[in-house]
């Protein structure tokens, strides 16, 4: 009868231990860096995100950018889906200010960092410049901001 019970120890029904990791990776040879983390504890994530946001941008800046751009400057997704993108990166001397920031959804933000799309602020409004393979003349594109026309 004991031969039938030789399938190993009983399963552990306890929940797995929470994993909370935060890593700072510095840029080599220049200022700045990146934070990377993995958090199973939602309260810990919220606390760390609040502290990082408080130090990353002036109070109300995200709301000001959202009011100006009304969502992603590229595709128009709502502000709740967007991240703040620095036109001139902080490590290259760019300010964290309204004149240097635009709202981009995650997909459009990736295009800015990993393709030939460019973003700029012209006349106080964001516009995107497509790569030459999309538009050989690279004509800037701007979403119509009807709330500013009135």
């Amino acid at each position: 009868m004991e031969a039938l019970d030789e399938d190993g120890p009983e399963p552990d029904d306890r929940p797995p231990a929470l994993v909370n990791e935060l890593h700072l990776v510095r840029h080599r040879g220049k200022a700045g860096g990146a934070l990377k983390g993995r958090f199973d504890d939602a309260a810990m994530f919220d606390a760390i995100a609040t502290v990082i946001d408080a130090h990353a941008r002036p109070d109300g800046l995200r709301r000001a950018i959202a009011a100006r751009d009304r969502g992603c400057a590229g595709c128009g997704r709502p502000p709740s889906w967007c991240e703040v993108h620095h036109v001139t990166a902080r490590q290259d001397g760019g300010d964290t200010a309204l004149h240097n920031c635009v709202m981009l959804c995650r997909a459009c933000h990736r295009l800015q960092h990993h393709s030939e799309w460019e973003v700029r602020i012209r006349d106080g409004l964001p516009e995107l410049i497509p790569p030459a393979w999309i538009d050989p003349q690279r004509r800037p594109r701007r979403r119509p901001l009807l709330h500013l026309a009135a």
Side-chain angles (χ1 to χ4, degrees):
M1 193 70 168
E2 286 184 28
L4 295 176
D5 287 337
E6 293 182 12
D7 58 351
E10 290 187 31
D12 185 359
D13 292 334
R14 292 178 292 174
L18 295 176
V19 176
N20 296 302
E21 298 175 350
L22 182 66
H23 302 279
L24 171 65
V25 179
R26 293 181 173 264
H27 292 304
R28 291 186 181 175
K30 57 184 172 181
L35 284 172
K36 294 184 180 188
R38 191 174 98 191
F39 301 94
D40 290 339
D41 181 358
M44 178 70 73
F45 174 82
D46 286 344
I48 290 172
T50 300
V51 169
I52 290 170
D53 279 350
H55 293 287
R57 60 182 164 265
D59 211 17
L61 180 60
R62 181 179 170 82
R63 286 189 303 275
I65 297 166
R68 180 195 65 200
D69 297 353
R70 297 286 189 182
C72 179
C75 68
R77 285 189 173 106
S80 61
W81 290 31
C82 295
E83 304 166 343
V84 174
H85 170 73
H86 287 79
V87 176
T88 301
R90 286 179 291 198
Q91 62 263 25
D92 296 332
D95 293 335
T96 301
L98 186 61
H99 67 270
N100 189 47
C101 292
V102 298
M103 292 217 113
L104 295 173
C105 70
R106 187 173 295 260
C108 291
H109 202 171
R110 258 194 318 271
L111 282 174
Q112 294 304 307
H113 288 285
H114 302 291
S115 75
E116 297 173 29
W117 279 89
E118 294 177 25
V119 64
R120 69 181 181 193
I121 304 283
R122 185 164 204 147
D123 300 326
L125 298 173
E127 54 187 27
L128 279 72
I129 304 167
W133 60 271
I134 291 177
D135 179 2
Q137 295 172 340
R138 301 199 72 206
R139 290 177 289 239
R141 299 176 180 190
R142 183 183 289 183
R143 281 191 42 238
L145 299 173
L146 302 176
H147 66 284
L148 295 177

